[in-house]
Amino acid sequence: MAMHGMRGLSVFISDIRNCQNKEQERQRIDKELGNVRNRFKNEKGLSPYEKKKYVWKMLYIYMLGYDVDFGHMEAVSLISAPKYPEKQVGYIVTSCLLNENHDFLRLAINTVRNDIIGRNETFQCLALTMVGNIGGREFAESLAPDVQKLLLSSSCRPLVRKKAALCLLRLYRKNPDVVNVDGWADRMAQLLDERDLGVLTSSMSLLVALVSNNHEAYWSCLPKCVKTLERLARNQDIPQEYTYYGIPSPWLQVKTMRALQYFPTIEDPYTRRTLFEVLQRILMGTDVVKNVNKNNASHAVLFEALALVMHLDAEKEMMSQCVALLGKFIAVREPNIRYLGLENMTRMLMVTDAQEIIKRHQAQIITSLKDPDISIRRRALDLLYGMCDVTNAKDIVEELLQYLSSADFTMREELSLKAAILAEKFAPDLSWYVDVILQLIDKAGDFISDDIWFRVVQFVTNNDDLQPYAAAKVKEYLEKPAVHETMVKVSAYILGEYSHLLARRPGCSPKEIFGILHEKLPTVSTTTIPILLSAYAKILMHTQPPDQELQSQIWAIFNKYESCIDAEIQQRAVEYFALCQKGAALMDILAEMPKFPERKSSLIKRAEYSEADTAEQSAIKLRAQQQPSNALVVTDQPPANGATSPVPVGPLSLAMVPSMITTEDHTSTDPALSQQNGSLTKVDPQHPSADLLGDLLGPLAIEGPPGATVQSEYNAVSRLEGGPDAVDGSAIVPVEEQRNTVQPIGNIAERFHALCLKDSGVLYEDPYIQIGIKAEWRAHHGRLVLFLGNKNTAPLVSVQALMLPPAHLKMELSLVPDTIPPRAQVQCPLEVVNLRPSRDVAVLDFSYKFGTNMVNVKLRLPAVLNKFLQPIPVPAEEFFPQWRSLSGPPLKLQEVVRGVRPMPLPEMANLLNSFRLMICPGLDPNPNNLVASTTFYSESTHAMLCLIRIETDPADRTQLRMTLASGDPTLTFEYVPKTSHEHVKFKTLVLTDFSHIPSAG
Amino acid sequence: MGIRFILMVNKQGQTRLAQYYEWLTLEERRALEGEIVRKCLARNEQQCSFVEHRNYKIVYRRYASLFFLVGVDNDENELAILEFIHLLVETMDRHFGNVCELDIMLHLEKAHFMLEEMVMNGCIVETSKANILTPVQLLEKT
């Protein structure tokens, strides 16, 4: 019908359709564009009908992918046409062609508003729809009250109100202030009483957007959602028009269950029971039926119900029902169900205890890795990656390796990266890790990024036992006929450093190793040749007694490359040649590379698909770390090589360029300082607080590499690290992010103090994320799990967690994905080893991005000294001899603490108990005193008995005297401060809890 | 936000209808459509209806020579979208009587009207066929 009025348009469309090729199409379109442009030029003469026709042509041309850079004004002007057909075209075409920032839109605001507040409900609908699709901030500011009025108006018909709901949703997203939470929550709840399913469907979408930002405000909507769901699930009062293949609006059911997933729990027992009954019904009552549409619709509901059950952390029985269902799904024929089964099983990994049950399906999941459908293969890969742990790493990684040879090219990079990460994270032994990486390079060299081979080199360098094994292994690979260039690189590096360890084995003389390597030289590119040259130089150095023939051979090569056009190669050739003449100096400069500082795997950092902005952001972070620090740290070793350069690949690539010119003396560490390992006498300089960050980041390199060889080829910042005190508790207190616009929920400091006493709880929360923590402590080991929970429907991206451990803790944080999927929770295990007593606090530098909000927080982790205590009862006959034998400083220290919150003695005893101190009743004759004992564990002290006596003054309960004795002066010192200026620090660790936690114990 | 875009593409890969719920420039649209068409049209009946592409998930369904491709967020309920496509097709069937590619081409505006009644701002607004078609029929009367 409508086409009758637009013959020109249908002719044009037919013409386009008849075009034989793209060129013809373009000609026809150019002609039409010229025609339309001409018509628009003398706009006065155009009737509304003609305008409408040309505007449709524009839309059609635009849809075909041709730029239409004129006529926008005409489209917008149709909005103010008095008649419905023209107005409709104006609205629809405008919302297709223009974006919210287009200037012309602004011109239309008044017309749009008049339509919205006018009496014509079809006009209202058109206007609301356009604003709902492309309305920007200005629309939000000028129209929100009108739209809200329509949505709530009882005189308005559903067809207008449903559009008003989604229009408001758009305006709310553009400017959240348009919805006043206080007033709106009740109205939202009221809206959910709506009987009309159209209005209810769009209101539910509005609710989802609102609760995802602030569930607290919308508690009153929760029972209404359950009621709606119940109404649908029981098919009560659902008009025929809203049932789809017999199922009451599956879309509204799904949306309602989605809204429910934003409420953390359901406390009201009645609501909870009702909901679980409905869910149970869905879980049990969904059968496979012949009709594909009905089947899909009922399974759409079922999968959403599964997600809701997982979210609610339902009873064990219901959970296992879910896993059983998913287990069934991943084995069915129907590919959609198989895909969704795998996808939801991956989500299920977040649920406590589910992992073990999921592992039973490992064989089936591995089968899916070979599915003909890449979508399914990807899901299987993700699931395998997620479910991998130490128990099944070997199986899974080997499966991945096997699959690598046949995998699609599009998946190989991801696959090899994941295999490399899993091998690193869960390697039962390091030689297996080396095997895996070498296999990866062998099978998929093209897809192996440099990070992967850098990482294996780091491991080999840092583990002496591994070196001969790795050297022998790479030699085997090199002997193969065709070798990937990456393999040549890694082999050259490892053989250069460690082939001398094999010298006694047959076929491994320096000459033979050189021969194998040199054979590859003609096949490699200019980036690899420098590595080969370094390897030659090192082989030559290790050849004892010198082999004249080998020497002249290698010298000849250096000679040859002295005139190489590639500057890097040339420089190395010249330098190595010159060095070789120097004899002894060669030994120093080419000495074995020092151990790399412990650092987080750069692989893990880029585990997830990283977006460009992530890279940029981490660059900022890296720069921050490079800021020079004037902090002083005393470590076990004088830092021979201040290699704290945090650029993941930095040291390695740099290390291969021994530049002799800058032989700076990096051993200038004050020997007096270094002797005083953790000594107590040194008073460290006061740092200006502006340098806090630098101080914090200073000790990132956990320990300086041993062996003070002159290995300082690169111009590293000669950072003498900061003493333990540089990073003490008090220094960290003010670090909480200042610039964040996102406000944390609850008090971060209080949460930290609470966690110092408890082993699980919330560490941090803001509107987008909740970070929970759960810890287990055994002797000097700690195993923490960070639970990163995304509270939104949108993913959190650029997630980064960086551990800033103090010098006394060795910490290893497992993979933190770059992205946390919507409403998902990620668990990140964190291993802690306590090396020696210190009350410094570890800091987690955590950042993420949500929308345009970049959030960065520095959170103290409750890996505090008292976590490494184990209460132990000490009988009187042992206590007193011990107490007496530890006489006076530095083994026994005393401190008077003032300003403590007065508390009865039993309460204080409880508090001490929660600090893992064992109260020994009756030992002290004075009933106002408390005596306690405990064992402190660290790698350096092992189990160390610690005795504590607290004397209180019944006349003044705000002060107490604390005496602490242990066999280790550092421990005693770290536990008890001795001078008043230390007071503050002391309080931050222990006594803040006395005074600040009202209900401790 | 849910639905990011809805495309109707014939089996030669020519776009017959494109509705985006987030702003992409023409170049971006062209590139995106090209990539998606290449990925989805090559798939066979034994493969599932979901394809992961960039940060979208494409839920698609084929009806004779016409493909319906819906780009959604990663956390969207895939099967619900899959059936939503079918609801759209049934709605067009009710109006055109066994809808075909040509109907959509020659009545592009009506296809847009229907879609407009069903989806707004990336959210499903109406699922009753009668309600969806009322405004379209209103237009025919004028």
Side-chain angles (χ1 to χ4, degrees):
Chain A
M1 268 280 290
M3 276 303 154
H4 281 284
M6 292 197 278
R7 174 164 294 140
L9 178 58
S10 48
V11 169
F12 170 62
I13 291 173
S14 301
D15 282 358
I16 293 290
R17 199 163 161 257
N18 291 333
C19 286
Q20 299 296 313
N21 52 44
K22 205 76 195 159
E23 192 43 46
Q24 279 183 7
E25 184 184 286
R26 169 168 289 283
Q27 281 173 4
R28 179 68 185 85
I29 280 171
D30 283 345
K31 184 179 148 205
E32 197 61 40
L33 282 177
N35 179 22
V36 176
R37 198 192 299 262
N38 274 334
R39 292 309 190 101
F40 280 156
K41 263 188 197 146
N42 35 17
E43 202 198 322
K44 291 265 156 55
L46 282 183
S47 65
Y49 149 72
E50 282 174 303
K51 253 197 208 172
K52 181 175 87 173
K53 184 173 74 176
Y54 294 130
V55 167
W56 270 116
K57 280 185 183 171
M58 280 165 42
L59 181 67
Y60 194 84
I61 291 170
Y62 184 70
M63 184 194 76
L64 290 173
Y66 295 90
D67 204 6
V68 180
D69 54 359
F70 64 93
H72 296 160
M73 193 61 208
E74 283 73 12
V76 175
S77 70
L78 276 175
I79 290 177
S80 38
K83 278 202 197 144
Y84 180 66
E86 280 85 35
K87 193 183 265 297
Q88 185 187 32
V89 175
Y91 272 119
I92 291 188
V93 176
T94 299
S95 62
C96 287
L97 290 181
L98 304 189
N99 73 12
E100 63 175 76
N101 299 320
H102 205 289
D103 285 339
F104 290 167
L105 267 188
R106 228 166 275 155
L107 304 177
I109 288 190
N110 260 333
T111 319
V112 173
R113 176 151 194 268
N114 286 336
D115 281 341
I116 286 180
I117 58 177
R119 295 247 178 95
N120 186 328
E121 58 182 20
T122 48
F123 287 9
Q124 284 178 316
C125 287
L126 288 175
L128 288 169
T129 308
M130 188 196 78
V131 176
N133 282 330
I134 59 166
R137 226 187 140 83
E138 275 175 66
F139 279 84
E141 275 150 19
S142 48
L143 298 178
D146 299 322
V147 175
Q148 287 180 347
K149 213 182 282 166
L150 286 182
L151 175 57
L152 298 168
S153 155
S154 52
S155 60
C156 230
R157 285 211 299 157
L159 82 135
V160 178
R161 292 176 57 215
K162 68 186 181 193
K163 303 224 168 193
L166 287 178
C167 184
L168 185 61
L169 167 57
R170 168 93 187 185
L171 301 182
Y172 168 72
R173 286 217 176 104
K174 290 297 149 192
N175 180 5
D177 298 339
V178 303
V179 174
N180 177 355
V181 171
D182 296 333
W184 192 255
D186 291 340
R187 298 190 174 145
M188 195 64 235
Q190 213 178 308
L191 273 175
L192 297 177
D193 288 330
E194 176 66 46
R195 302 312 284 173
D196 181 87
L197 289 193
V199 177
L200 203 48
T201 303
S202 43
S203 298
M204 202 57 88
S205 290
L206 178 61
L207 176 67
V208 167
L210 295 172
V211 283
S212 68
N213 273 341
N214 180 359
H215 65 261
E216 304 275 356
Y218 295 93
W219 276 114
S220 55
C221 297
L222 195 153
K224 309 264 176 147
C225 291
V226 174
K227 230 165 108 190
T228 306
L229 186 65
E230 197 189 9
R231 174 183 164 200
L232 290 163
R234 294 184 190 276
N235 202 348
Q236 290 163 339
D237 180 25
I238 307 294
Q240 183 57 34
E241 265 298 309
Y242 283 99
T243 52
Y244 180 79
Y245 290 87
I247 298 164
S249 178
W251 302 284
L252 181 54
Q253 292 198 47
V254 165
K255 209 46 162 195
T256 309
M257 287 193 267
R258 187 55 63 96
L260 285 167
Q261 288 169 57
Y262 285 100
F263 295 99
T265 51
I266 299 179
E267 270 150 24
D268 174 49
Y270 173 75
T271 311
R272 192 176 167 90
R273 197 171 57 241
T274 313
L275 178 60
F276 274 102
E277 272 168 23
V278 174
L279 290 174
Q280 186 68 37
R281 210 172 154 73
I282 298 173
L283 291 189
M284 298 306 290
T286 308
D287 299 319
V288 177
V289 292
K290 264 218 174 112
N291 182 299
V292 62
N293 299 309
K294 182 172 184 167
N295 210 30
N296 283 341
S298 65
H299 280 79
V301 174
L302 174 60
F303 276 110
E304 203 62 47
L306 279 171
L308 182 53
V309 171
M310 284 185 234
H311 167 79
L312 290 173
D313 223 353
E315 290 79 24
K316 245 198 156 106
E317 197 187 327
M318 207 163 184
M319 265 326 178
S320 47
Q321 249 179 42
C322 291
V323 186
L325 268 175
L326 291 174
K328 203 175 82 188
F329 289 157
I330 63 170
V332 297
R333 259 176 58 106
E334 155 61 16
N336 286 342
I337 302 293
R338 215 158 60 230
Y339 173 94
L340 294 171
L342 290 166
E343 183 181 49
N344 283 281
M345 218 179 230
T346 311
R347 287 182 189 151
M348 190 104 201
L349 286 173
M350 313 287 175
V351 176
T352 1
D353 307 331
Q355 202 143 1
E356 285 311 309
I357 324 178
I358 291 174
K359 275 190 201 165
R360 289 184 214 148
H361 299 284
Q362 191 170 314
Q364 181 60 43
I365 301 166
I366 286 175
T367 317
S368 302
L369 196 57
K370 293 153 193 156
D371 196 279
D373 183 351
I374 185 164
S375 297
I376 291 176
R377 289 197 298 271
R378 272 191 195 287
R379 288 294 111 234
L381 176 60
D382 259 21
L383 177 52
L384 283 173
Y385 181 72
M387 67 192 276
C388 192
D389 62 19
V390 270
T391 64
N392 55 13
K394 253 186 153 152
D395 293 340
I396 289 182
V397 171
E398 265 147 40
E399 270 311 322
L400 296 184
L401 280 175
Q402 209 182 42
Y403 172 51
L404 191 57
S405 327
S406 58
D408 331 43
F409 284 92
T410 48
M411 262 179 87
R412 282 196 191 179
E413 183 168 2
E414 191 190 344
L415 191 60
S416 44
L417 181 63
K418 288 196 161 156
I421 290 172
L422 293 178
E424 178 183 330
K425 264 172 77 182
F426 303 115
D429 56 89
L430 286 171
S431 55
W432 178 76
Y433 165 72
V434 170
D435 287 346
V436 169
I437 301 298
L438 293 179
Q439 277 190 64
L440 276 176
I441 297 173
D442 188 42
K443 287 186 169 182
D446 284 343
F447 301 94
I448 300 296
S449 59
D450 282 346
D451 308 8
I452 295 182
W453 81 263
F454 290 172
R455 191 69 179 159
V456 76
V457 164
Q458 285 175 14
F459 267 93
V460 173
T461 308
N462 289 4
N463 291 280
D464 300 344
D465 306 345
L466 204 56
Q467 292 158 0
Y469 179 82
K473 207 73 199 175
V474 292
K475 180 180 163 272
E476 273 173 39
Y477 275 105
L478 271 196
E479 283 165 343
K480 286 182 161 189
V483 180
H484 193 273
E485 186 159 338
T486 304
M487 186 66 88
V488 177
K489 288 181 187 166
V490 68
S491 309
Y493 191 95
I494 290 177
L495 289 175
E497 292 289 337
Y498 308 114
S499 62
H500 62 278
L501 301 173
L502 307 177
R504 297 217 185 118
R505 302 191 191 180
C508 295
S509 70
K511 211 173 186 167
E512 285 160 306
I513 295 286
F514 167 75
I516 298 170
L517 276 176
H518 193 50
E519 210 174 87
K520 306 295 174 202
L521 191 134
T523 65
V524 299
S525 65
T526 46
T527 53
T528 308
I529 294 177
I531 306 175
L532 282 171
L533 295 185
S534 300
Y536 298 165
K538 292 216 172 190
I539 290 173
L540 193 57
M541 180 200 65
H542 282 300
T543 311
Q544 295 302 341
D547 176 334
Q548 286 308 321
E549 193 191 331
L550 183 64
Q551 181 178 315
S552 52
Q553 221 175 334
I554 291 177
W555 285 13
I557 297 166
F558 291 158
N559 248 325
K560 177 183 159 198
Y561 283 105
E562 273 180 355
S563 53
C564 179
I565 193 160
D566 182 280
E568 178 64 43
I569 299 175
Q570 188 188 36
Q571 187 182 359
R572 287 204 197 197
V574 172
E575 289 175 351
Y576 288 142
F577 188 70
L579 273 173
C580 290
Q581 323 294 327
K582 294 205 166 171
L586 183 75
M587 298 292 277
D588 278 345
I589 291 157
L590 292 181
E592 194 171 293
M593 291 302 294
K595 306 258 185 276
F596 289 90
E598 287 295 330
R599 61 166 72 94
K600 195 177 154 202
S601 167
S602 61
L603 293 184
I604 290 174
K605 285 184 195 154
R606 54 173 212 114
E608 305 283 317
Y609 300 110
S610 48
E611 291 156 40
D613 57 351
T614 322
E616 212 164 291
Q617 173 209 335
S618 56
I620 293 166
K621 193 166 280 171
L622 292 176
R623 267 200 297 283
Q625 289 170 15
Q626 280 165 316
Q627 280 170 6
S629 150
N630 59 2
L632 280 171
V633 168
V634 183
T635 47
D636 296 336
Q637 305 287 340
N641 146 351
T644 48
S645 163
V647 183
V649 298
L652 198 63
S653 49
L654 284 166
M656 293 183 294
V657 193
S659 114
M660 270 93 4
I661 305 122
T662 54
T663 334
E664 280 185 25
D665 185 8
H666 281 281
T667 49
S668 60
T669 318
D670 184 351
L673 258 183
S674 49
Q675 278 163 11
Q676 293 168 355
N677 289 343
S679 141
L680 311 171
T681 51
K682 181 179 65 65
V683 178
D684 57 273
Q686 293 301 311
H687 316 296
S689 57
D691 207 41
L692 266 180
L693 201 64
D695 290 353
L696 276 176
L697 293 159
L700 244 188
I702 286 173
E703 49 196 28
T709 47
V710 193
Q711 193 65 51
S712 47
E713 296 112 342
Y714 36 96
N715 190 7
V717 188
S718 166
R719 175 184 303 157
L720 317 179
E721 311 150 26
D725 290 340
V727 209
D728 68 9
S730 63
I732 288 167
V733 178
V735 179
E736 283 145 22
E737 186 56 37
Q738 305 90 353
R739 287 169 308 154
N740 289 343
T741 48
V742 173
Q743 285 305 313
I745 299 172
N747 182 316
I748 297 180
E750 269 171 28
R751 289 186 191 278
F752 167 73
H753 290 304
L755 282 167
C756 286
L757 298 176
K758 293 189 299 180
D759 279 338
S760 65
V762 174
L763 181 67
Y764 172 80
E765 184 168 4
D766 67 24
Y768 307 119
I769 195 167
Q770 187 186 58
I771 304 178
I773 203 164
K774 205 170 162 179
E776 278 173 48
W777 307 92
R778 195 158 299 146
H780 61 285
H781 288 280
R783 189 182 154 82
L784 285 81
V785 183
L786 298 176
F787 297 83
L788 310 176
N790 180 353
K791 296 159 70 176
N792 309 283
T793 31
L796 298 179
V797 297
S798 306
V799 178
Q800 297 223 344
L802 197 65
M803 280 308 314
L804 311 175
H808 75 287
L809 293 178
K810 202 158 100 188
M811 304 186 102
E812 210 165 300
L813 179 63
S814 74
L815 168 89
V816 174
D818 178 66
T819 304
I820 304 178
R823 301 183 339 286
Q825 191 188 58
V826 177
Q827 299 183 10
C828 306
L830 169 67
E831 302 287 343
V832 183
V833 180
N834 186 23
L835 301 175
R836 55 186 166 270
S838 164
R839 56 167 183 275
D840 300 342
V841 183
V843 170
L844 174 73
D845 181 350
F846 185 83
S847 58
Y848 68 88
K849 216 166 134 184
F850 181 79
T852 53
N853 282 322
M854 179 74 220
V855 182
N856 176 254
V857 282
K858 300 209 171 47
L859 303 164
R860 284 178 288 167
L861 286 181
V864 289
L865 194 137
N866 63 297
K867 300 287 186 184
F868 301 103
L869 298 177
Q870 197 67 52
I872 183 172
V874 179
E877 62 270 25
E878 280 176 39
F879 190 95
F880 289 110
Q882 284 275 3
W883 185 257
R884 275 189 293 270
S885 73
L886 304 166
S887 57
L891 297 179
K892 191 192 262 173
L893 293 172
Q894 204 164 66
E895 159 82 348
V896 175
V897 187
R898 295 192 176 80
V900 177
R901 181 177 71 88
M903 63 173 92
L905 224 49
E907 196 182 315
M908 189 179 289
N910 272 339
L911 188 59
L912 289 176
N913 264 330
S914 60
F915 281 130
R916 302 168 187 241
L917 304 176
M918 172 78 83
I919 302 294
C920 312
L923 281 190
D924 200 307
N926 184 341
N928 289 313
N929 296 349
L930 282 174
V931 168
S933 58
T934 190
T935 329
F936 172 79
Y937 290 88
S938 77
E939 209 167 75
S940 65
T941 57
H942 302 292
M944 175 66 68
L945 186 67
C946 225
L947 305 173
I948 296 119
R949 181 191 201 194
I950 294 178
E951 295 158 277
T952 64
D953 177 0
D956 179 4
R957 290 216 169 265
T958 63
Q959 63 175 355
L960 49 84
R961 187 165 70 172
M962 187 172 189
T963 314
L964 194 130
S966 84
D968 183 271
T970 323
L971 174 59
T972 307
F973 173 79
E974 289 293 328
Y975 214 150
V976 173
K978 54 178 182 184
T979 59
S980 59
H981 94 270
E982 299 268 78
H983 196 106
V984 190
K985 296 171 188 171
F986 180 57
K987 284 182 93 172
T988 58
L989 178 72
V990 183
L991 286 182
T992 353
D993 303 303
F994 279 95
S995 48
H996 288 247
I997 300 190
S999 58
Chain B
M1 136 144 182
I3 299 174
R4 300 279 179 170
F5 56 82
I6 297 177
L7 298 174
M8 298 179 199
V9 174
N10 70 7
K11 64 173 189 255
Q12 285 84 38
Q14 294 164 308
T15 306
R16 290 311 182 208
L17 184 146
Q19 175 72 54
Y20 287 81
Y21 297 98
E22 64 181 340
W23 179 256
L24 295 180
T25 65
L26 191 67
E27 290 71 34
E28 288 165 337
R29 290 180 190 207
R30 258 201 308 248
L32 182 70
E33 287 171 27
E35 291 160 6
I36 291 172
V37 162
R38 260 194 306 282
K39 265 194 179 171
C40 295
L41 270 55
R43 294 169 62 85
N44 63 36
E45 298 270 309
Q46 281 80 52
Q47 294 177 318
C48 68
S49 313
F50 321 121
V51 173
E52 289 157 35
H53 182 72
R54 299 202 207 166
N55 47 350
Y56 301 110
K57 193 169 274 185
I58 317 294
V59 178
Y60 74 96
R61 216 161 163 162
R62 181 182 176 167
Y63 293 88
S65 65
L66 205 58
F67 286 82
F68 289 72
L69 309 147
V70 180
V72 294
D73 288 334
N74 265 314
D75 63 336
E76 192 60 48
N77 186 310
E78 295 90 342
L79 285 177
I81 297 295
L82 193 63
E83 284 319 296
F84 185 71
I85 295 177
H86 191 69
L87 178 72
L88 170 62
V89 173
E90 285 188 347
T91 307
M92 293 199 289
D93 272 348
R94 189 183 280 192
H95 184 79
F96 294 111
N98 220 349
V99 67
C100 66
E101 186 185 340
L102 204 59
D103 290 326
I104 293 169
M105 284 184 77
L106 293 178
H107 304 273
L108 184 65
E109 82 289 8
K110 282 192 203 159
H112 267 286
F113 299 160
M114 285 178 215
L115 210 51
E116 186 124 304
E117 288 302 314
M118 294 177 76
V119 186
M120 195 177 144
N121 193 16
C123 297
I124 295 174
V125 60
E126 184 58 83
T127 57
S128 144
K129 290 178 204 123
N131 288 350
I132 297 166
L133 290 173
T134 312
V136 183
Q137 282 149 0
L138 179 76
L139 186 76
E140 298 211 319
K141 281 183 216 135
T142 53

